[in-house]
Amino acid sequence: MIRRERHELWMRRALSVASTSPSDVPVGAIVLGPDGAELSAAGNERELTGDPTAHAEILALRRAAAVRGEWRLEDCTLVVTLEPCTMCAGALVLARIATLVFGAWEPKTGAVGSLFDVVRDPRLNHRPEVYGGVLEPECAQLMRDFFR
């Protein structure tokens, strides 16, 4: 399977996760191990938990680390339906995520090229490979539908 097809397949899974959080902004994130097997999945849970850090990416990273038994997620891939914010971009860099795949761009808070570019900052010790705009129309529509 070529890379684009693989990324789209993974993004469809993240989209299905995003649609399970009806009371929060519908963002879905999955973490895949080096072999492509899903380690974790999460949607936003800020409203559910009252936790401002309960973004889909943070929860997926925490759960993947628990599955692996270590905080370093080297050789893992994070797939998320929306461009990560500053907090989430920083967390994925610190977790040593090898590849980031995201769907819709977020011009107001995006930290992977829109507002900031945390993941490519040469001053940091780790910079993941980034693929943005994967299934962007579907991911963006999910956001538009929620904010209507």
Side-chain angles (χ1 to χ4, degrees):
M1 183 181 306
I2 63 171
R3 185 180 341 193
R4 190 181 106 243
E5 290 172 344
R6 187 173 54 232
H7 290 175
E8 288 178 358
L9 178 69
W10 293 341
M11 189 60 70
R12 290 192 195 293
R13 169 67 178 130
L15 278 164
S16 73
V17 172
S19 63
T20 64
S21 300
S23 66
D24 210 326
V25 177
V27 176
I30 61 172
V31 176
L32 303 147
D35 61 356
E38 185 176 308
L39 297 174
S40 65
N44 277 345
E45 294 181 10
R46 295 173 309 165
E47 297 297 332
L48 178 68
T49 63
D51 178 355
T53 69
H55 288 203
E57 300 96 309
I58 298 295
L59 298 173
L61 290 170
R62 287 178 184 159
R63 293 170 186 168
V67 167
R68 289 192 58 168
E70 64 176 327
W71 64 267
R72 288 179 188 88
L73 299 176
E74 296 167 329
D75 299 322
C76 291
T77 299
L78 172 64
V79 181
V80 61
T81 57
L82 187 66
E83 178 184 4
C85 70
T86 306
M87 174 181 68
C88 295
L92 73 93
V93 167
L94 293 173
R96 311 292 198 274
I97 287 289
T99 305
L100 168 64
V101 178
F102 71 89
W105 294 89
E106 176 45 91
K108 293 179 182 177
T109 62
V112 186
S114 288
L115 185 60
F116 302 108
D117 200 349
V118 172
V119 300
R120 293 184 192 94
D121 190 318
R123 296 169 295 179
L124 298 176
N125 64 335
H126 178 76
R127 286 176 294 287
E129 192 171 8
V130 177
Y131 299 92
V134 176
L135 297 183
E136 183 177 9
E138 293 93 325
C139 294
Q141 188 62 51
L142 191 63
M143 299 301 289
R144 282 192 297 274
D145 290 348
F146 180 79
F147 285 108
R148 278 192 187 152

